Amino acid sequence: MNSERLSGLGLEPMLTTSELAEYLGVHVQAIYDLRTDGRGPAGMRVGREIRYRVSDVIHWLDGIHEPQAVPAVGGEG
């Protein structure tokens, strides 16, 4: 089922653990480790697999985003 049809049904696309790991550029085991530690994105079990809503992944990424460093004003000296 393609994403256009899903959105037409009001359903949100979901990622598998492998797809999420590939998107983030990490090993699949890193995703499992994050979930075990309670630091990963919200997921749901569908049969034997865990699926991640794209919106949950975005929310999780926003929450772990590190603030940009603010340059020092003036010089020390």
Side-chain angles (χ1 to χ4, degrees), residues 17-34:
T17 303
S18 297
E19 290 170 333
L20 178 58
E22 183 179 342
Y23 171 73
L24 296 174
V26 299
H27 293 283
V28 170
Q29 187 61 47
I31 303 299
Y32 290 126
D33 292 345
L34 285 168

Side-chain angles (χ1 to χ4, degrees), residues 1-14 54:
M1 194 175 273
N2 67 30
S3 59
E4 287 179 23
R5 180 152 185 235
L6 289 176
S7 65
L9 294 173
L11 299 174
E12 181 178 358
M14 299 184 83
V54 171

Side-chain angles (χ1 to χ4, degrees), residues 12-15 20 23-24 35 39-45 50-64:
E12 181 178 358
M14 299 184 83
L15 302 173
L20 178 58
Y23 171 73
L24 296 174
R35 283 184 50 82
R39 299 181 303 129
M44 63 185 71
R45 187 168 295 281
I50 299 171
R51 300 280 192 247
Y52 304 89
R53 287 186 190 130
V54 171
S55 62
D56 289 337
V57 172
I58 292 168
H59 180 74
W60 172 70
L61 288 171
D62 287 344
I64 64 170

